[in-house]
Amino acid sequence: MFENLLSTCKVSAIAALAFFVASVAPLSAEETFSSEPLTIHTSDGRTHEFSVELATTDAQRQQGLMYRKSMGANNGMLFDFKTDREVTMWMRNTLIPLDMLFISKAGKIEHIHAGAVPHSESIISSRGAVRYVLELNGGAVKNFGIKTGDTVKSAQLEKTSQ
C-alpha cells in the first residue's frame, strides 16, 4: 500500500510540475518584431537611413533588445508608447551598448542619452513627455552627428501622428 501511495504522489508531483511549466512557458516566449525603414534628418542637412524593428505592444516593449549579442550598424529598435508621456528605460539584460533617442509625436528628437551601459539598472529618463524611443548602437549619435532637434521619419511615426 505504501508503494502505491508513493507512486501516486510521484505521478501527482510530475503532473503538477508539467502544469507549472506549461503555464509559465508562454510568459517567457520570445517576441517577434516587424521592421520598417526609418530616416533621421540632421540639422546640417544630412540624411541617415536605418532599418528598425518595431516594439508596439507591452510584451515587445518589455523585451526590447534584451539578450541580443549584436546589431547591424544601420539597425535599431523603435518603441512606440502610443501616448505622450515621460518614459524611463534601463539596460537590464541588454548585452550591447546603446544610444537612446527620445522622440516627440511630431518626430522631433527631444532628448538623447548616448552610451547606455549594458546590464545597468540605472534609470534613463526622457526628461519630458515623448511618444517614441529609438535605440541605436552605442556611438551612432556621435558617428552620424545626430543632435536634439533633428527629425525622424518612418511609417510608424506617420501612422500615429495623425
Side-chain angles (χ1 to χ4, degrees):
M1 173 149 178
F2 180 73
E3 290 176 349
N4 286 340
L5 180 59
L6 186 58
S7 179
T8 302
C9 287
K10 284 181 183 177
V11 170
S12 295
I14 291 170
L17 180 61
F19 175 77
F20 174 76
V21 170
S23 65
V24 173
L27 298 176
S28 63
E30 191 169 317
E31 293 295 313
T32 58
F33 301 89
S34 60
S35 62
E36 70 181 26
L38 177 140
T39 305
I40 298 177
H41 299 280
T42 59
S43 57
D44 62 2
R46 291 184 293 160
T47 300
H48 304 287
E49 303 289 334
F50 296 90
S51 177
V52 297
E53 293 176 85
L54 302 175
T56 60
T57 68
D58 287 340
Q60 289 171 330
R61 286 187 295 269
Q62 185 176 29
Q63 179 179 315
L65 291 170
M66 291 192 318
Y67 307 110
R68 304 273 181 105
K69 293 179 180 171
S70 64
M71 184 167 62
N74 291 331
N75 293 106
M77 182 170 283
L78 181 67
F79 294 76
D80 184 348
F81 288 91
K82 308 288 186 193
T83 186
D84 299 334
R85 64 181 183 91
E86 182 156 349
V87 173
T88 56
M89 309 284 279
W90 66 359
M91 295 287 287
R92 178 189 279 177
N93 300 321
T94 305
L95 308 176
I96 56 177
L98 297 172
D99 290 346
M100 295 182 187
L101 289 67
F102 296 89
I103 305 165
S104 71
K105 180 179 178 179
K108 179 181 170 190
I109 299 173
E110 299 292 339
H111 173 64
I112 296 173
H113 181 91
V117 178
H119 303 288
S120 173
E121 292 187 14
S122 296
I123 300 300
I124 301 167
S125 172
S126 61
R127 298 185 182 173
V130 296
R131 173 67 64 88
Y132 310 97
V133 176
L134 175 61
E135 292 182 341
L136 301 173
N137 281 303
V141 165
K142 182 179 178 184
N143 294 341
F144 294 112
I146 300 168
K147 295 181 175 49
T148 302
D150 291 347
T151 57
V152 179
K153 304 267 187 213
S154 78
Q156 186 67 30
L157 271 76
E158 291 296 320
K159 184 181 346 177
T160 57
S161 68
Q162 300 168 1

